[in-house]
Amino acid sequence: IDLKAIRLVREEKGITRDEIATALEVSYKSIEKFENGRMTFSQNKQERLFKALGLDEKELKRIKKHWVV
């Protein structure tokens, strides 16, 4: 997963870390650590993150190819 792309998508869509944390039932700090590569999420949490962002893994791969992050 391209963590910088995740963060950029979240910011572009105007979704806060607090909103993602609530959707994933984790702390704000956990989202911050995940986006900065200091924490990993289970496959289930990653899928929930994609859903909360309105993305699927295929779309994330497409985004990664077009963004310089």
Short mmCIF file of all heavy atoms in Angstrom, two decimals:
data_model
loop_
_atom_site.label_atom_id
_atom_site.label_comp_id
_atom_site.label_asym_id
_atom_site.label_seq_id
_atom_site.Cartn_x
_atom_site.Cartn_y
_atom_site.Cartn_z
N ILE A 1 0.85 -1.18 0.00
CA ILE A 1 0.00 0.00 0.00
C ILE A 1 0.88 1.23 0.00
O ILE A 1 1.83 1.31 0.77
CB ILE A 1 -0.90 0.03 1.25
CG1 ILE A 1 -1.84 -1.16 1.23
CG2 ILE A 1 -1.69 1.32 1.30
CD1 ILE A 1 -2.61 -1.29 2.51
N ASP A 2 0.55 2.18 -0.82
CA ASP A 2 1.25 3.46 -0.85
C ASP A 2 0.59 4.36 0.19
O ASP A 2 -0.48 4.92 -0.03
CB ASP A 2 1.17 4.07 -2.25
CG ASP A 2 1.99 5.33 -2.37
OD1 ASP A 2 2.15 6.04 -1.36
OD2 ASP A 2 2.46 5.60 -3.47
N LEU A 3 1.25 4.49 1.33
CA LEU A 3 0.66 5.23 2.45
C LEU A 3 0.50 6.70 2.16
O LEU A 3 -0.45 7.33 2.61
CB LEU A 3 1.50 5.01 3.71
CG LEU A 3 1.64 3.55 4.13
CD1 LEU A 3 2.57 3.43 5.33
CD2 LEU A 3 0.30 2.93 4.43
N LYS A 4 1.43 7.25 1.39
CA LYS A 4 1.31 8.67 1.04
C LYS A 4 0.09 8.88 0.14
O LYS A 4 -0.61 9.89 0.27
CB LYS A 4 2.57 9.17 0.36
CG LYS A 4 3.75 9.27 1.31
CD LYS A 4 4.99 9.76 0.59
CE LYS A 4 6.17 9.77 1.55
NZ LYS A 4 7.40 10.19 0.87
N ALA A 5 -0.17 7.94 -0.75
CA ALA A 5 -1.35 8.04 -1.62
C ALA A 5 -2.62 7.97 -0.78
O ALA A 5 -3.58 8.71 -1.04
CB ALA A 5 -1.34 6.96 -2.68
N ILE A 6 -2.62 7.10 0.22
CA ILE A 6 -3.78 7.00 1.12
C ILE A 6 -4.05 8.35 1.78
O ILE A 6 -5.17 8.84 1.81
CB ILE A 6 -3.53 5.93 2.21
CG1 ILE A 6 -3.42 4.54 1.61
CG2 ILE A 6 -4.60 5.98 3.30
CD1 ILE A 6 -4.71 3.88 1.25
N ARG A 7 -2.99 8.95 2.33
CA ARG A 7 -3.14 10.23 3.00
C ARG A 7 -3.63 11.30 2.02
O ARG A 7 -4.54 12.07 2.34
CB ARG A 7 -1.83 10.67 3.64
CG ARG A 7 -2.00 11.93 4.50
CD ARG A 7 -0.67 12.54 4.92
NE ARG A 7 -0.15 13.29 3.79
CZ ARG A 7 1.04 13.11 3.23
NH1 ARG A 7 1.87 12.21 3.70
NH2 ARG A 7 1.43 13.83 2.21
N LEU A 8 -3.05 11.34 0.83
CA LEU A 8 -3.45 12.34 -0.15
C LEU A 8 -4.90 12.18 -0.58
O LEU A 8 -5.62 13.17 -0.74
CB LEU A 8 -2.51 12.30 -1.35
CG LEU A 8 -1.10 12.80 -1.08
CD1 LEU A 8 -0.20 12.52 -2.28
CD2 LEU A 8 -1.08 14.27 -0.74
N VAL A 9 -5.34 10.94 -0.77
CA VAL A 9 -6.74 10.69 -1.12
C VAL A 9 -7.65 11.17 0.01
O VAL A 9 -8.65 11.86 -0.23
CB VAL A 9 -6.99 9.20 -1.42
CG1 VAL A 9 -8.47 8.90 -1.48
CG2 VAL A 9 -6.31 8.80 -2.71
N ARG A 10 -7.28 10.84 1.23
CA ARG A 10 -8.07 11.26 2.39
C ARG A 10 -8.19 12.78 2.43
O ARG A 10 -9.28 13.33 2.58
CB ARG A 10 -7.45 10.73 3.69
CG ARG A 10 -8.21 11.16 4.94
CD ARG A 10 -7.53 10.72 6.21
NE ARG A 10 -6.18 11.21 6.39
CZ ARG A 10 -5.87 12.49 6.70
NH1 ARG A 10 -6.81 13.38 6.83
NH2 ARG A 10 -4.60 12.83 6.86
N GLU A 11 -7.06 13.45 2.28
CA GLU A 11 -7.06 14.91 2.33
C GLU A 11 -7.83 15.52 1.16
O GLU A 11 -8.59 16.48 1.34
CB GLU A 11 -5.62 15.43 2.34
CG GLU A 11 -4.90 15.13 3.64
CD GLU A 11 -3.42 15.46 3.61
OE1 GLU A 11 -2.87 15.74 2.52
OE2 GLU A 11 -2.80 15.44 4.70
N GLU A 12 -7.64 14.94 -0.04
CA GLU A 12 -8.35 15.43 -1.22
C GLU A 12 -9.85 15.34 -1.06
O GLU A 12 -10.59 16.21 -1.53
CB GLU A 12 -7.89 14.66 -2.45
CG GLU A 12 -8.48 15.17 -3.75
CD GLU A 12 -7.94 14.40 -4.93
OE1 GLU A 12 -8.53 13.35 -5.26
OE2 GLU A 12 -6.95 14.86 -5.52
N LYS A 13 -10.31 14.28 -0.41
CA LYS A 13 -11.74 14.08 -0.22
C LYS A 13 -12.27 14.83 1.01
O LYS A 13 -13.47 14.78 1.29
CB LYS A 13 -12.05 12.59 -0.09
CG LYS A 13 -11.83 11.86 -1.40
CD LYS A 13 -12.25 10.42 -1.30
CE LYS A 13 -12.12 9.78 -2.67
NZ LYS A 13 -13.18 8.83 -2.92
N GLY A 14 -11.38 15.52 1.73
CA GLY A 14 -11.81 16.29 2.90
C GLY A 14 -12.20 15.43 4.09
O GLY A 14 -12.99 15.86 4.93
N ILE A 15 -11.63 14.23 4.16
CA ILE A 15 -11.93 13.31 5.26
C ILE A 15 -10.83 13.46 6.31
O ILE A 15 -9.65 13.42 5.99
CB ILE A 15 -11.99 11.86 4.76
CG1 ILE A 15 -13.08 11.72 3.69
CG2 ILE A 15 -12.24 10.89 5.92
CD1 ILE A 15 -13.07 10.40 2.96
N THR A 16 -11.23 13.66 7.54
CA THR A 16 -10.26 13.85 8.60
C THR A 16 -9.76 12.51 9.16
O THR A 16 -10.41 11.47 8.98
CB THR A 16 -10.85 14.65 9.77
OG1 THR A 16 -11.88 13.86 10.39
CG2 THR A 16 -11.43 15.98 9.30
N ARG A 17 -8.63 12.57 9.84
CA ARG A 17 -8.13 11.37 10.52
C ARG A 17 -9.12 10.91 11.57
O ARG A 17 -9.29 9.70 11.78
CB ARG A 17 -6.77 11.65 11.16
CG ARG A 17 -5.64 11.70 10.17
CD ARG A 17 -4.33 11.97 10.84
NE ARG A 17 -3.23 11.89 9.88
CZ ARG A 17 -2.06 12.46 10.05
NH1 ARG A 17 -1.82 13.15 11.14
NH2 ARG A 17 -1.12 12.34 9.14
N ASP A 18 -9.79 11.85 12.23
CA ASP A 18 -10.80 11.48 13.23
C ASP A 18 -11.94 10.69 12.60
O ASP A 18 -12.41 9.71 13.18
CB ASP A 18 -11.36 12.73 13.93
CG ASP A 18 -10.43 13.29 14.97
OD1 ASP A 18 -9.73 12.50 15.66
OD2 ASP A 18 -10.40 14.52 15.14
N GLU A 19 -12.38 11.10 11.41
CA GLU A 19 -13.47 10.39 10.74
C GLU A 19 -13.04 8.98 10.35
O GLU A 19 -13.82 8.02 10.52
CB GLU A 19 -13.92 11.17 9.50
CG GLU A 19 -14.63 12.47 9.85
CD GLU A 19 -14.85 13.37 8.66
OE1 GLU A 19 -13.97 13.46 7.78
OE2 GLU A 19 -15.93 14.01 8.61
N ILE A 20 -11.82 8.84 9.86
CA ILE A 20 -11.31 7.52 9.51
C ILE A 20 -11.16 6.67 10.77
O ILE A 20 -11.52 5.49 10.78
CB ILE A 20 -9.97 7.62 8.75
CG1 ILE A 20 -10.18 8.29 7.39
CG2 ILE A 20 -9.31 6.25 8.58
CD1 ILE A 20 -11.05 7.52 6.43
N ALA A 21 -10.63 7.27 11.82
CA ALA A 21 -10.46 6.54 13.08
C ALA A 21 -11.80 6.00 13.59
O ALA A 21 -11.89 4.86 14.02
CB ALA A 21 -9.81 7.45 14.13
N THR A 22 -12.82 6.82 13.51
CA THR A 22 -14.15 6.39 13.94
C THR A 22 -14.66 5.23 13.09
O THR A 22 -15.16 4.23 13.62
CB THR A 22 -15.14 7.58 13.88
OG1 THR A 22 -14.69 8.59 14.79
CG2 THR A 22 -16.54 7.14 14.27
N ALA A 23 -14.49 5.34 11.77
CA ALA A 23 -14.95 4.29 10.86
C ALA A 23 -14.22 2.98 11.11
O ALA A 23 -14.81 1.90 10.97
CB ALA A 23 -14.76 4.73 9.41
N LEU A 24 -12.94 3.05 11.49
CA LEU A 24 -12.14 1.85 11.71
C LEU A 24 -12.14 1.40 13.17
O LEU A 24 -11.55 0.36 13.49
CB LEU A 24 -10.69 2.10 11.27
CG LEU A 24 -10.53 2.25 9.77
CD1 LEU A 24 -9.23 2.95 9.43
CD2 LEU A 24 -10.56 0.90 9.11
N GLU A 25 -12.73 2.20 14.03
CA GLU A 25 -12.76 1.91 15.47
C GLU A 25 -11.35 1.81 16.04
O GLU A 25 -11.02 0.88 16.77
CB GLU A 25 -13.59 0.66 15.76
CG GLU A 25 -15.03 0.79 15.32
CD GLU A 25 -15.84 -0.48 15.49
OE1 GLU A 25 -15.25 -1.57 15.68
OE2 GLU A 25 -17.07 -0.39 15.43
N VAL A 26 -10.52 2.79 15.66
CA VAL A 26 -9.16 2.91 16.19
C VAL A 26 -8.95 4.36 16.61
O VAL A 26 -9.80 5.22 16.37
CB VAL A 26 -8.08 2.50 15.16
CG1 VAL A 26 -8.25 1.04 14.74
CG2 VAL A 26 -8.10 3.41 13.94
N SER A 27 -7.82 4.64 17.22
CA SER A 27 -7.54 6.00 17.67
C SER A 27 -7.01 6.87 16.53
O SER A 27 -6.50 6.37 15.53
CB SER A 27 -6.52 5.98 18.80
OG SER A 27 -5.25 5.60 18.30
N TYR A 28 -7.11 8.17 16.73
CA TYR A 28 -6.53 9.14 15.80
C TYR A 28 -5.04 8.85 15.64
O TYR A 28 -4.51 8.89 14.54
CB TYR A 28 -6.75 10.55 16.35
CG TYR A 28 -6.02 11.63 15.61
CD1 TYR A 28 -6.65 12.34 14.59
CD2 TYR A 28 -4.70 11.98 15.93
CE1 TYR A 28 -5.98 13.35 13.90
CE2 TYR A 28 -4.03 12.97 15.24
CZ TYR A 28 -4.68 13.66 14.23
OH TYR A 28 -4.01 14.64 13.54
N LYS A 29 -4.36 8.57 16.74
CA LYS A 29 -2.92 8.29 16.72
C LYS A 29 -2.62 7.06 15.86
O LYS A 29 -1.59 7.02 15.19
CB LYS A 29 -2.37 8.09 18.13
CG LYS A 29 -2.13 9.38 18.86
CD LYS A 29 -0.97 10.10 18.24
CE LYS A 29 -0.51 11.26 19.08
NZ LYS A 29 0.46 12.10 18.40
N SER A 30 -3.49 6.07 15.88
CA SER A 30 -3.28 4.88 15.06
C SER A 30 -3.33 5.24 13.58
O SER A 30 -2.52 4.74 12.79
CB SER A 30 -4.33 3.81 15.36
OG SER A 30 -4.14 3.29 16.65
N ILE A 31 -4.24 6.11 13.19
CA ILE A 31 -4.33 6.55 11.80
C ILE A 31 -3.08 7.33 11.44
O ILE A 31 -2.48 7.12 10.38
CB ILE A 31 -5.60 7.40 11.55
CG1 ILE A 31 -6.86 6.58 11.85
CG2 ILE A 31 -5.61 7.94 10.12
CD1 ILE A 31 -7.02 5.33 11.03
N GLU A 32 -2.66 8.21 12.33
CA GLU A 32 -1.45 8.99 12.09
C GLU A 32 -0.23 8.07 11.91
O GLU A 32 0.55 8.24 10.97
CB GLU A 32 -1.22 9.94 13.27
CG GLU A 32 -0.01 10.83 13.12
CD GLU A 32 0.15 11.77 14.30
OE1 GLU A 32 0.03 11.32 15.47
OE2 GLU A 32 0.41 12.94 14.05
N LYS A 33 -0.09 7.09 12.79
CA LYS A 33 1.04 6.16 12.70
C LYS A 33 0.97 5.34 11.42
O LYS A 33 1.98 5.09 10.77
CB LYS A 33 1.06 5.23 13.91
CG LYS A 33 1.49 5.90 15.19
CD LYS A 33 1.43 4.93 16.36
CE LYS A 33 1.83 5.61 17.65
NZ LYS A 33 1.72 4.69 18.79
N PHE A 34 -0.23 4.90 11.04
CA PHE A 34 -0.40 4.13 9.82
C PHE A 34 0.03 4.95 8.60
O PHE A 34 0.79 4.49 7.76
CB PHE A 34 -1.85 3.66 9.68
CG PHE A 34 -2.12 2.92 8.41
CD1 PHE A 34 -1.71 1.61 8.26
CD2 PHE A 34 -2.79 3.53 7.36
CE1 PHE A 34 -1.94 0.91 7.08
CE2 PHE A 34 -3.03 2.85 6.18
CZ PHE A 34 -2.61 1.54 6.04
N GLU A 35 -0.46 6.19 8.52
CA GLU A 35 -0.13 7.04 7.38
C GLU A 35 1.35 7.37 7.32
O GLU A 35 1.88 7.64 6.23
CB GLU A 35 -0.94 8.34 7.44
CG GLU A 35 -2.39 8.15 7.09
CD GLU A 35 -3.19 9.44 7.05
OE1 GLU A 35 -2.70 10.48 7.55
OE2 GLU A 35 -4.31 9.40 6.54
N ASN A 36 2.03 7.34 8.45
CA ASN A 36 3.46 7.62 8.49
C ASN A 36 4.32 6.36 8.46
O ASN A 36 5.53 6.44 8.62
CB ASN A 36 3.80 8.47 9.72
CG ASN A 36 3.24 9.87 9.60
OD1 ASN A 36 3.33 10.50 8.56
ND2 ASN A 36 2.62 10.36 10.66
N GLY A 37 3.69 5.20 8.26
CA GLY A 37 4.42 3.95 8.12
C GLY A 37 4.97 3.37 9.40
O GLY A 37 5.81 2.48 9.38
N ARG A 38 4.47 3.84 10.54
CA ARG A 38 4.96 3.34 11.83
C ARG A 38 4.03 2.28 12.43
O ARG A 38 4.26 1.80 13.53
CB ARG A 38 5.13 4.50 12.81
CG ARG A 38 6.19 5.49 12.37
CD ARG A 38 6.49 6.54 13.42
NE ARG A 38 5.34 6.92 14.21
CZ ARG A 38 4.81 8.14 14.22
NH1 ARG A 38 5.29 9.10 13.48
NH2 ARG A 38 3.77 8.39 14.99
N MET A 39 2.98 1.92 11.69
CA MET A 39 2.02 0.94 12.18
C MET A 39 1.39 0.26 10.97
O MET A 39 1.23 0.89 9.93
CB MET A 39 0.95 1.65 13.01
CG MET A 39 -0.12 0.77 13.57
SD MET A 39 -1.28 1.76 14.55
CE MET A 39 -1.87 0.52 15.64
N THR A 40 1.08 -1.00 11.10
CA THR A 40 0.39 -1.70 10.02
C THR A 40 -1.03 -2.04 10.47
O THR A 40 -1.32 -2.09 11.66
CB THR A 40 1.12 -2.99 9.62
OG1 THR A 40 1.20 -3.84 10.76
CG2 THR A 40 2.51 -2.69 9.11
N PHE A 41 -1.89 -2.24 9.50
CA PHE A 41 -3.27 -2.65 9.76
C PHE A 41 -3.47 -4.03 9.17
O PHE A 41 -2.88 -4.37 8.14
CB PHE A 41 -4.27 -1.69 9.13
CG PHE A 41 -4.46 -0.39 9.85
CD1 PHE A 41 -4.93 0.71 9.18
CD2 PHE A 41 -4.19 -0.25 11.20
CE1 PHE A 41 -5.14 1.92 9.82
CE2 PHE A 41 -4.39 0.95 11.86
CZ PHE A 41 -4.86 2.04 11.16
N SER A 42 -4.35 -4.78 9.78
CA SER A 42 -4.73 -6.08 9.25
C SER A 42 -5.41 -5.89 7.90
O SER A 42 -5.84 -4.78 7.55
CB SER A 42 -5.70 -6.77 10.22
OG SER A 42 -6.93 -6.06 10.24
N GLN A 43 -5.51 -6.97 7.15
CA GLN A 43 -6.19 -6.92 5.86
C GLN A 43 -7.62 -6.41 6.03
O GLN A 43 -8.09 -5.59 5.25
CB GLN A 43 -6.20 -8.31 5.21
CG GLN A 43 -6.82 -8.34 3.83
CD GLN A 43 -5.99 -7.59 2.80
OE1 GLN A 43 -4.77 -7.52 2.91
NE2 GLN A 43 -6.63 -7.04 1.80
N ASN A 44 -8.28 -6.85 7.08
CA ASN A 44 -9.66 -6.42 7.34
C ASN A 44 -9.73 -4.91 7.56
O ASN A 44 -10.59 -4.23 6.99
CB ASN A 44 -10.22 -7.16 8.56
CG ASN A 44 -11.62 -6.73 8.88
OD1 ASN A 44 -11.82 -5.79 9.65
ND2 ASN A 44 -12.59 -7.42 8.30
N LYS A 45 -8.82 -4.37 8.36
CA LYS A 45 -8.82 -2.93 8.62
C LYS A 45 -8.46 -2.16 7.35
O LYS A 45 -9.01 -1.09 7.10
CB LYS A 45 -7.86 -2.57 9.75
CG LYS A 45 -8.45 -2.83 11.12
CD LYS A 45 -7.95 -1.82 12.11
CE LYS A 45 -8.29 -2.13 13.53
NZ LYS A 45 -9.60 -2.57 13.83
N GLN A 46 -7.54 -2.70 6.55
CA GLN A 46 -7.20 -2.04 5.30
C GLN A 46 -8.41 -1.97 4.38
O GLN A 46 -8.69 -0.93 3.78
CB GLN A 46 -6.05 -2.77 4.60
CG GLN A 46 -4.72 -2.59 5.30
CD GLN A 46 -3.62 -3.35 4.60
OE1 GLN A 46 -3.63 -3.53 3.39
NE2 GLN A 46 -2.65 -3.80 5.37
N GLU A 47 -9.16 -3.04 4.31
CA GLU A 47 -10.37 -3.06 3.47
C GLU A 47 -11.39 -2.06 3.98
O GLU A 47 -12.04 -1.37 3.20
CB GLU A 47 -10.95 -4.47 3.42
CG GLU A 47 -10.09 -5.42 2.61
CD GLU A 47 -10.54 -6.87 2.69
OE1 GLU A 47 -11.61 -7.15 3.27
OE2 GLU A 47 -9.80 -7.72 2.17
N ARG A 48 -11.52 -1.96 5.30
CA ARG A 48 -12.44 -0.97 5.89
C ARG A 48 -11.96 0.45 5.61
O ARG A 48 -12.77 1.35 5.37
CB ARG A 48 -12.59 -1.22 7.38
CG ARG A 48 -13.40 -2.49 7.65
CD ARG A 48 -13.45 -2.91 9.10
NE ARG A 48 -13.90 -1.86 9.98
CZ ARG A 48 -13.67 -1.86 11.29
NH1 ARG A 48 -12.99 -2.85 11.85
NH2 ARG A 48 -14.10 -0.88 12.04
N LEU A 49 -10.64 0.64 5.62
CA LEU A 49 -10.07 1.95 5.29
C LEU A 49 -10.40 2.32 3.85
O LEU A 49 -10.86 3.43 3.58
CB LEU A 49 -8.56 1.93 5.51
CG LEU A 49 -7.79 3.17 5.03
CD1 LEU A 49 -8.23 4.41 5.81
CD2 LEU A 49 -6.30 2.95 5.18
N PHE A 50 -10.18 1.39 2.91
CA PHE A 50 -10.50 1.65 1.51
C PHE A 50 -11.97 2.01 1.35
O PHE A 50 -12.32 2.94 0.63
CB PHE A 50 -10.19 0.44 0.63
CG PHE A 50 -8.75 0.02 0.64
CD1 PHE A 50 -8.40 -1.30 0.39
CD2 PHE A 50 -7.72 0.91 0.91
CE1 PHE A 50 -7.08 -1.71 0.39
CE2 PHE A 50 -6.39 0.51 0.91
CZ PHE A 50 -6.07 -0.81 0.65
N LYS A 51 -12.83 1.28 2.04
CA LYS A 51 -14.27 1.55 1.96
C LYS A 51 -14.59 2.93 2.52
O LYS A 51 -15.36 3.68 1.93
CB LYS A 51 -15.05 0.47 2.72
CG LYS A 51 -16.54 0.62 2.60
CD LYS A 51 -17.28 -0.51 3.27
CE LYS A 51 -18.77 -0.31 3.14
NZ LYS A 51 -19.52 -1.37 3.80
N ALA A 52 -13.98 3.28 3.66
CA ALA A 52 -14.22 4.59 4.27
C ALA A 52 -13.77 5.72 3.34
O ALA A 52 -14.35 6.81 3.35
CB ALA A 52 -13.51 4.68 5.62
N LEU A 53 -12.74 5.46 2.55
CA LEU A 53 -12.25 6.45 1.60
C LEU A 53 -12.98 6.38 0.26
O LEU A 53 -12.75 7.18 -0.63
CB LEU A 53 -10.75 6.25 1.35
CG LEU A 53 -9.83 6.58 2.52
CD1 LEU A 53 -8.41 6.16 2.21
CD2 LEU A 53 -9.90 8.05 2.88
N GLY A 54 -13.85 5.39 0.11
CA GLY A 54 -14.58 5.21 -1.14
C GLY A 54 -13.70 4.64 -2.24
O GLY A 54 -13.92 4.91 -3.42
N LEU A 55 -12.68 3.86 -1.87
CA LEU A 55 -11.73 3.30 -2.82
C LEU A 55 -11.68 1.78 -2.74
O LEU A 55 -12.01 1.20 -1.72
CB LEU A 55 -10.31 3.81 -2.52
CG LEU A 55 -10.09 5.30 -2.51
CD1 LEU A 55 -8.69 5.61 -2.03
CD2 LEU A 55 -10.31 5.87 -3.89
N ASP A 56 -11.21 1.19 -3.82
CA ASP A 56 -10.86 -0.22 -3.76
C ASP A 56 -9.36 -0.32 -4.07
O ASP A 56 -8.74 0.65 -4.50
CB ASP A 56 -11.70 -1.09 -4.69
CG ASP A 56 -11.59 -0.71 -6.15
OD1 ASP A 56 -10.56 -0.12 -6.55
OD2 ASP A 56 -12.51 -1.01 -6.90
N GLU A 57 -8.78 -1.47 -3.85
CA GLU A 57 -7.34 -1.62 -4.02
C GLU A 57 -6.91 -1.34 -5.46
O GLU A 57 -5.85 -0.77 -5.70
CB GLU A 57 -6.90 -3.01 -3.58
CG GLU A 57 -5.43 -3.07 -3.25
CD GLU A 57 -5.06 -4.31 -2.45
OE1 GLU A 57 -5.95 -5.02 -1.96
OE2 GLU A 57 -3.86 -4.55 -2.32
N LYS A 58 -7.74 -1.71 -6.42
CA LYS A 58 -7.44 -1.46 -7.83
C LYS A 58 -7.31 0.04 -8.09
O LYS A 58 -6.40 0.50 -8.78
CB LYS A 58 -8.53 -2.07 -8.71
CG LYS A 58 -8.30 -1.90 -10.18
CD LYS A 58 -9.41 -2.55 -10.98
CE LYS A 58 -9.22 -2.34 -12.46
NZ LYS A 58 -10.30 -2.95 -13.23
N GLU A 59 -8.22 0.82 -7.52
CA GLU A 59 -8.17 2.27 -7.69
C GLU A 59 -6.92 2.86 -7.03
O GLU A 59 -6.30 3.77 -7.57
CB GLU A 59 -9.42 2.93 -7.15
CG GLU A 59 -9.50 4.41 -7.48
CD GLU A 59 -10.82 5.04 -7.15
OE1 GLU A 59 -11.69 4.38 -6.56
OE2 GLU A 59 -10.99 6.23 -7.48
N LEU A 60 -6.54 2.32 -5.88
CA LEU A 60 -5.32 2.79 -5.22
C LEU A 60 -4.10 2.55 -6.09
O LEU A 60 -3.22 3.40 -6.19
CB LEU A 60 -5.14 2.12 -3.87
CG LEU A 60 -5.97 2.69 -2.73
CD1 LEU A 60 -5.82 1.83 -1.49
CD2 LEU A 60 -5.58 4.12 -2.44
N LYS A 61 -4.03 1.40 -6.73
CA LYS A 61 -2.90 1.12 -7.62
C LYS A 61 -2.88 2.09 -8.80
O LYS A 61 -1.83 2.56 -9.21
CB LYS A 61 -2.97 -0.33 -8.11
CG LYS A 61 -2.61 -1.33 -7.04
CD LYS A 61 -2.74 -2.75 -7.54
CE LYS A 61 -2.46 -3.73 -6.42
NZ LYS A 61 -2.60 -5.12 -6.85
N ARG A 62 -4.05 2.40 -9.33
CA ARG A 62 -4.15 3.35 -10.43
C ARG A 62 -3.67 4.72 -9.99
O ARG A 62 -2.90 5.39 -10.68
CB ARG A 62 -5.58 3.43 -10.95
CG ARG A 62 -5.74 4.38 -12.13
CD ARG A 62 -7.21 4.62 -12.46
NE ARG A 62 -7.96 5.18 -11.36
CZ ARG A 62 -7.93 6.46 -10.99
NH1 ARG A 62 -7.16 7.32 -11.63
NH2 ARG A 62 -8.67 6.90 -10.00
N ILE A 63 -4.09 5.15 -8.82
CA ILE A 63 -3.70 6.45 -8.28
C ILE A 63 -2.18 6.50 -8.11
O ILE A 63 -1.54 7.48 -8.47
CB ILE A 63 -4.41 6.72 -6.95
CG1 ILE A 63 -5.90 6.98 -7.20
CG2 ILE A 63 -3.79 7.89 -6.21
CD1 ILE A 63 -6.75 6.94 -5.95
N LYS A 64 -1.63 5.45 -7.58
CA LYS A 64 -0.18 5.39 -7.33
C LYS A 64 0.60 5.61 -8.62
O LYS A 64 1.64 6.28 -8.63
CB LYS A 64 0.20 4.06 -6.68
CG LYS A 64 1.65 3.95 -6.33
CD LYS A 64 1.94 2.62 -5.67
CE LYS A 64 3.41 2.47 -5.37
NZ LYS A 64 3.72 1.21 -4.75
N LYS A 65 0.13 5.07 -9.72
CA LYS A 65 0.83 5.20 -11.01
C LYS A 65 0.84 6.64 -11.51
O LYS A 65 1.73 7.03 -12.24
CB LYS A 65 0.17 4.30 -12.06
CG LYS A 65 0.43 2.84 -11.84
CD LYS A 65 -0.26 2.03 -12.93
CE LYS A 65 -0.09 0.54 -12.67
NZ LYS A 65 -0.81 -0.26 -13.65
N HIS A 66 -0.16 7.40 -11.14
CA HIS A 66 -0.31 8.76 -11.67
C HIS A 66 0.16 9.86 -10.74
O HIS A 66 0.28 11.01 -11.16
CB HIS A 66 -1.77 9.00 -12.08
CG HIS A 66 -2.21 8.11 -13.18
ND1 HIS A 66 -1.80 8.26 -14.48
CD2 HIS A 66 -2.99 6.99 -13.17
CE1 HIS A 66 -2.32 7.31 -15.23
NE2 HIS A 66 -3.04 6.53 -14.46
N TRP A 67 0.39 9.53 -9.49
CA TRP A 67 0.81 10.55 -8.52
C TRP A 67 2.26 10.38 -8.19
O TRP A 67 2.75 9.29 -7.99
CB TRP A 67 0.02 10.43 -7.23
CG TRP A 67 -1.33 11.04 -7.30
CD1 TRP A 67 -1.90 11.67 -8.35
CD2 TRP A 67 -2.29 11.03 -6.26
NE1 TRP A 67 -3.16 12.07 -8.03
CE2 TRP A 67 -3.43 11.70 -6.76
CE3 TRP A 67 -2.32 10.55 -4.97
CZ2 TRP A 67 -4.57 11.90 -6.00
CZ3 TRP A 67 -3.44 10.74 -4.21
CH2 TRP A 67 -4.56 11.40 -4.72
N VAL A 68 2.95 11.47 -8.08
CA VAL A 68 4.30 11.47 -7.56
C VAL A 68 4.17 11.86 -6.10
O VAL A 68 3.78 12.99 -5.79
CB VAL A 68 5.20 12.47 -8.31
CG1 VAL A 68 6.58 12.50 -7.70
CG2 VAL A 68 5.25 12.13 -9.78
N VAL A 69 4.43 10.91 -5.21
CA VAL A 69 4.27 11.18 -3.77
C VAL A 69 5.57 10.95 -3.04
O VAL A 69 6.45 10.30 -3.51
CB VAL A 69 3.15 10.32 -3.15
CG1 VAL A 69 1.81 10.76 -3.69
CG2 VAL A 69 3.36 8.86 -3.40
#
